[in-house]
Amino acid sequence: MTILVTGGAGFIGSHFILDWLLETGEPVINLDALTYAGNLENLAVLQGNALYDFVCGDIQDRRLVDRLLVEHAPRAIVHFAAESHVDRSINRPQDFIQTNIVGTYTLLEAARSYWSKLQYGARSRFRFLQVSTDEVYGSLGAADPAFSEASLYQPNSPYSASKAAADHLVRAWHHTYGLPVLTTNCSNNYGPRQFPEKLIPLIIANAMDRKPLPIYGDGMNVRDWLHVGDHCMALRIVLERGIAGQMYNIGGNSEMTNLAVVHNICELLDEMRPHADGPYSNLITFVQDRAGHDRRYAIDARKIGRDLGWQPTETFSSGMRKTLLWYLDHQEWVSDVKTGAYQQWTIRNSEARA
Ligand code: NAD
Ligand code: DAU
């Protein structure tokens, strides 16, 4: 038994692979193109692990995906690979259309061809897990009920529109061809090894450098936060027990304004790393808003709790404290990312071993 993971060198994918190997011991093939967001240092502990294989390649490369499916005969594909940052999608949507839409289409077609030739038992057990986002549902008003699996898709950014398009393809490949798919829609993740373009790792990195902490607009946009470990656990459970063709919302029951998140980080830093120049919150700076900025996301995760028995184990407060401790203890990881040295990790690692 083997699973194929795409985008496993990124933030959530690398956590998923590490947790998966720990929890299941089932082999993993990781297909990742190593864009700016891919960091093999995230998986350095797997060097020499016989249960893990890394393949550098693009999910849009149909021949490569076909070859991997035939060679490794996975029982599932867990699809993380994506362009994932909203601000980048606003500046340059093209990569989002290519990877998130064309890439997912390519994977679906390769999966369909492979799956249709499997023996009956393997065919019915096969799963294609689409790792998606709550952003496909659009934006909520302050008093609106949280997004449920029945909410309409109303994406507002090039990123969320490309993920929504991919989710629709996944749905259609199930409805039309019978491909056994699962789709998860998760809220904002945080935790160790997140690329410092996203709010939480950016604020931590800037605070450590005594740089301004940028808050878009009035800082009152609301996100629901989930520790990445809880997301990975949910994905394992969905893969194991989810019903093919179903969607599962995943969330942390932790709605907060961006300003509250940043103040929370500042207060923790005041406690853990007090600075002579005064409280970290002095660095908070309001900057120009994001174009088309979604006001509020909130997730109704009752279905996955009721049907599959998943609940988050971390509160925002417990998860954030652990996350901050990790960043404070791994300043080298942060500086490798900031200098770009992480992209040389494979070369440095093989030189060091030679
Ligand atoms: P990330 O940007 O950290 O990592 C993406 C990974 O995909 C990188 O390793 C990159 O090299 C790889 N990749 C990009 N284009 C590729 C291509 N064409 N072929 C192969 N590999 C490619 O992303 P993340 O934050 O870990 O998110 C992973 C998935 O989870 C995404 O699909 C995202 O939409 C979804 N998601 C993320 C969050 C979040 O808060 N980060 C929340 C919900 C859902
Ligand atoms: O909701 C799930 C989504 O969460 C994922 O699908 C995306 O891949 C992931 O990037 C994330 O999207 P957001 O746009 O919500 O995350 P980001 O960290 O970029 O921003 C969080 C909020 O903080 C958002 O309201 C914008 C704001 N922000 C962000 C940055 C980078 C700031 O105020 N200042 C900043 O410097």
Side-chain angles (χ1 to χ4, degrees):
M1 303 261 264
T2 299
I3 62 164
L4 173 66
V5 168
T6 71
F11 165 52
I12 306 174
S14 61
H15 277 277
F16 178 83
I17 290 176
L18 294 170
D19 286 5
W20 178 265
L21 289 171
L22 207 64
E23 297 292 330
T24 72
E26 183 178 347
V28 176
I29 314 298
N30 174 16
L31 171 63
D32 195 297
L34 295 184
T35 67
Y36 79 93
N39 184 347
L40 285 182
E41 212 169 323
N42 293 346
L43 296 163
V45 293
L46 297 181
Q47 192 84 18
N49 187 325
L51 298 177
Y52 171 72
D53 203 354
F54 173 70
V55 178
C56 186
D58 196 313
I59 56 166
Q60 295 171 78
D61 183 343
R62 174 69 194 269
R63 280 215 289 188
L64 172 63
V65 178
D66 282 343
R67 181 170 65 72
L68 292 177
L69 292 174
V70 169
E71 271 176 18
H72 297 280
R75 69 171 178 96
I77 297 175
V78 185
H79 178 31
F80 294 94
E83 288 293 334
S84 69
H85 188 40
V86 174
D87 293 324
R88 284 181 193 258
S89 82
I90 295 166
N91 287 336
R92 196 180 133 78
Q94 191 185 329
D95 295 341
F96 290 73
I97 305 304
Q98 285 305 133
T99 287
N100 299 2
I101 305 179
V102 180
T104 302
Y105 159 73
T106 309
L107 272 183
L108 284 167
E109 274 298 78
R112 179 165 78 92
S113 162
Y114 163 75
W115 164 79
S116 65
K117 295 182 197 110
L118 291 174
Q119 302 276 351
Y120 177 73
R123 223 172 110 89
S124 56
R125 282 192 300 272
F126 182 80
R127 293 289 181 272
F128 183 106
L129 172 50
Q130 161 76 352
V131 181
S132 191
T133 169
D134 59 358
E135 300 202 10
V136 296
Y137 297 121
S139 184
L140 293 168
D144 289 338
F147 300 128
S148 79
E149 290 80 358
S151 297
L152 290 179
Y153 267 39
Q154 293 183 314
N156 291 319
S157 72
Y159 162 69
S160 55
S162 67
K163 289 294 290 186
D167 293 3
H168 286 320
L169 293 175
V170 169
R171 176 190 158 90
W173 260 240
H174 174 70
H175 189 82
T176 305
Y177 306 113
L179 187 71
V181 305
L182 297 155
T183 300
T184 55
N185 296 86
C186 187
S187 58
N188 285 58
N189 283 214
Y190 67 96
R193 302 190 294 272
Q194 186 169 26
F195 197 84
E197 61 185 353
K198 309 282 167 64
L199 179 69
I200 287 178
L202 178 88
I203 293 298
I204 298 171
N206 281 14
M208 295 315 293
D209 291 344
R210 302 297 295 177
K211 286 185 180 163
L213 310 180
I215 307 273
Y216 296 171
D218 62 3
M220 298 312 283
N221 301 68
V222 172
R223 298 290 182 266
D224 171 61
W225 294 96
L226 180 71
H227 189 271
V228 64
D230 280 328
H231 187 188
C232 293
M233 180 184 24
L235 294 174
R236 280 201 312 276
I237 291 174
V238 169
L239 196 56
E240 191 184 312
R241 293 182 231 148
I243 308 290
Q246 296 273 311
M247 295 167 65
Y248 296 94
N249 280 359
I250 304 172
N253 301 320
S254 289
E255 275 189 65
M256 290 173 81
T257 63
N258 296 335
L259 200 54
V261 167
V262 174
H263 273 294
N264 190 287
I265 296 171
C266 290
E267 281 158 24
L268 283 170
L269 281 172
D270 288 337
E271 177 198 317
M272 294 175 185
R273 285 285 160 94
H275 200 281
D277 289 351
Y280 286 88
S281 55
N282 288 349
L283 300 169
I284 289 177
T285 308
F286 289 87
V287 298
Q288 190 185 17
D289 207 354
R290 172 184 279 174
H293 198 173
D294 284 339
R295 194 63 173 169
R296 173 176 166 240
Y297 304 142
I299 276 276
D300 174 347
R302 280 178 296 179
K303 177 178 171 181
I304 187 173
R306 190 184 56 236
D307 293 1
L308 307 183
W310 173 86
Q311 293 293 338
T313 60
E314 299 284 358
T315 61
F316 184 78
S317 152
S318 67
M320 196 56 231
R321 186 171 279 276
K322 287 180 192 164
T323 300
L324 206 43
L325 280 172
W326 186 89
Y327 281 98
L328 294 178
D329 285 349
H330 294 83
Q331 285 296 299
E332 197 188 329
W333 183 93
V334 178
S335 86
D336 274 3
V337 172
K338 283 196 292 203
T339 62
Y342 72 103
Q343 288 174 313
Q344 303 302 317
W345 188 85
T346 316
I347 301 164
R348 277 195 283 122
N349 184 51
S350 49
E351 277 172 3
R353 280 161 193 280

